[in-house]
Amino acid sequence: MSAIVLFDGVCNFCNDWVNFIIERDRKDHFKFAPLQSDTARRFLEEHNVDPEETDSVVVIENEKAYTYSTAALRITRGLGGLWAVFYALIIVPKPIRDAVYKWIAGNRYKWFGKKEACMIPTPEVREKFLS
């Protein structure tokens, strides 16, 4: 079963993270949509995720939405191989994991910059993006 990654399409860090996932997604496990898209808004609404609360990454897997640090850890698990080892961080209490995640997410534009528009996928990876 595949997972859907909803990401901040104007965030440089988020776009780099999506490219990182695509390069390592050997099993074609992930599909993507920028949070700014109608597709993402439909998924957020369908899974009762408030877009005002979650503005960096959401993972939808097995009909359940995951946010903040849990979303990031589910991505590492989905990549398999050595990346799946990072999923062991799930044992860290969620409030601590989420505090670190939110601190990074809150500074992402300052540290990594922001685009004026969402990225346009290359023809080679276009099928990984939902429309």
Side-chain angles (χ1 to χ4, degrees):
M1 173 143 257
S2 65
I4 299 166
V5 177
L6 308 177
F7 67 99
D8 181 355
V10 297
C11 168
N12 288 336
F13 179 72
C14 301
N15 280 285
D16 289 345
W17 181 232
V18 167
N19 288 328
F20 176 89
I21 296 166
I22 289 169
E23 290 171 11
R24 288 156 184 82
D25 185 17
R26 305 280 184 245
K27 295 180 181 175
D28 201 29
H29 180 68
F30 296 101
K31 301 291 183 201
F32 304 90
L35 283 165
Q36 293 80 0
S37 69
D38 291 335
T39 299
R41 282 190 281 280
R42 282 193 306 272
F43 278 114
L44 293 175
E45 186 176 309
E46 184 178 310
H47 290 88
N48 298 314
V49 176
D50 182 355
E52 299 300 318
E53 286 290 314
T54 305
D55 65 351
S56 56
V57 69
V58 176
V59 172
I60 298 173
E61 192 171 31
N62 300 323
E63 296 301 316
K64 186 168 175 16
Y66 300 92
T67 57
Y68 307 119
S69 63
T70 305
L73 292 174
R74 291 196 69 93
I75 291 169
T76 64
R77 186 172 84 170
L79 289 174
L82 289 176
W83 298 109
V85 170
F86 287 101
Y87 191 74
L89 292 171
I90 201 80
I91 67 168
V92 174
K94 187 171 175 28
I96 294 170
R97 286 188 285 118
D98 283 353
V100 172
Y101 179 93
K102 289 175 183 179
W103 176 70
I104 293 169
N107 288 292
R108 69 189 186 276
Y109 294 147
K110 181 170 56 171
W111 295 341
F112 303 102
K114 183 177 177 180
K115 298 178 184 311
E116 291 299 316
C118 295
M119 73 180 233
I120 299 173
T122 63
E124 298 82 37
V125 297
R126 191 163 287 140
E127 73 272 354
K128 289 185 165 282
F129 286 79
L130 303 172
S131 55

